[in-house]
Amino acid sequence: MDIVVKGRKTEVPDRFRKHVAEKLNPERIQKLDAKVISLDVEVSKEHNPRQADRSDRVEITLRSRGPVIRAEAAAADPYAALDLAQDKLEARLRKQHDKRHTRRGAGRLSAAEVADVVPDAATLNGNGEPVSEEKAGAIPTTRIGSLEVQGEGPLVVREKTHSAAPMSLDQALYEMELVGHDFYLFVDSDTKMPSVVYRRHGYDYGVIHLNADTASSSGELDGAGAGGALGG
């Protein structure tokens, strides 16, 4: 297994390269993924003083004959960032390893199918809880976050809350490229406004700033005024 260490806009000392080789133990990783081919470790540094507590970022990319697995972390120094990134990588490898070795029994029924197949079986709702006969014919209601969804419904809601230090627009674009997403939510350090950068057609980027004080009550957004193209 090859381990390649490189820096992005920063020099990587030999001492850190040696530490990476010792830290990312090939035997330990290959026990979780025997098909691993190489590990790419990229080190970058944020020179903004306001980002001092997460100025060093380490991204680990594991390439194998299966899917590519990536883990990244930022900390006050590259050694701490490497530790955090390694923990994330191994957690994802363990999850994938366990998933590969989990086998569902053939012909196994879901909870929703039991009532149709097994006579006199209790009817369950979407949360797996018994439903009385009076309510069995009613449309089930499931609470997802702050919303109530009736029936099976195509609505899927996932709520996440992140702490975010204000950053510049350039830093937000860099973070978006780093995680490989088409958009990135951040707090603009210049305007202190919640903002989103996003990928447009070609090589352009757009940015949307949210002004909570002057937001239109109509709930409609003008696509031309909400975000402007950058870099082109």
Side-chain angles (χ1 to χ4, degrees):
M1 182 182 75
D2 297 328
I3 299 178
V4 178
V5 183
K6 59 184 178 181
R8 180 174 180 177
K9 298 181 180 179
T10 186
E11 293 292 332
V12 181
D14 291 339
R15 176 186 172 190
F16 184 77
R17 294 178 186 273
K18 182 178 179 181
H19 179 73
V20 170
E22 295 173 350
K23 187 74 175 175
L24 300 179
N25 189 306
E27 294 182 0
R28 183 174 177 179
I29 292 177
Q30 287 175 332
K31 285 182 179 179
L32 298 173
D33 188 347
K35 299 180 179 179
V36 61
I37 298 173
S38 66
L39 281 174
D40 294 338
V41 180
E42 183 177 273
V43 184
S44 59
K45 191 170 185 67
E46 168 59 51
H47 297 286
N48 187 342
R50 287 178 290 186
Q51 301 285 335
D53 60 335
R54 54 196 303 271
S55 60
D56 290 276
R57 182 177 296 275
V58 172
E59 178 179 334
I60 306 174
T61 303
L62 183 148
R63 305 184 190 280
S64 69
R65 290 189 289 275
V68 174
I69 298 177
R70 182 176 288 106
E72 53 146 343
D77 64 78
Y79 294 90
L82 176 65
D83 290 343
L84 294 173
Q86 181 197 20
D87 290 343
K88 291 181 180 180
L89 178 70
E90 292 188 355
R92 291 170 187 174
L93 283 173
R94 281 193 293 270
K95 183 177 180 180
Q96 183 169 298
H97 179 270
D98 294 341
K99 187 176 180 180
R100 284 197 303 265
H101 289 76
T102 299
R103 295 290 182 267
R104 293 174 62 90
R108 185 174 179 179
L109 299 176
S110 66
E113 297 171 321
V114 171
D116 297 331
V117 179
V118 181
D120 300 323
T123 302
L124 305 179
N125 62 15
N127 298 321
E129 300 168 343
V131 179
S132 63
E133 292 183 1
E134 295 78 16
K135 295 183 179 179
I139 299 176
T141 300
T142 305
R143 189 167 188 85
I144 305 177
S146 58
L147 302 177
E148 285 189 355
V149 181
Q150 288 189 336
E152 298 295 329
L155 180 63
V156 177
V157 176
R158 180 173 64 176
E159 291 187 340
K160 283 189 176 182
T161 302
H162 295 277
S163 58
M167 64 179 66
S168 66
L169 180 57
D170 287 344
Q171 177 65 21
L173 289 170
Y174 170 73
E175 296 285 347
M176 182 180 72
E177 293 292 350
L178 195 63
V179 298
H181 291 173
D182 291 329
F183 68 94
Y184 189 83
L185 177 65
F186 70 106
V187 178
D188 194 306
S189 57
D190 294 328
T191 65
K192 304 298 186 291
M193 295 165 62
S195 305
V196 173
V197 289
Y198 60 97
R199 199 185 312 278
R200 290 168 56 89
H201 298 296
Y203 296 95
D204 291 348
Y205 297 99
V207 58
I208 296 175
H209 299 292
L210 179 63
N211 189 336
D213 295 332
T214 60
S216 171
S217 60
S218 66
E220 298 181 355
L221 290 176
D222 181 353
L230 301 179

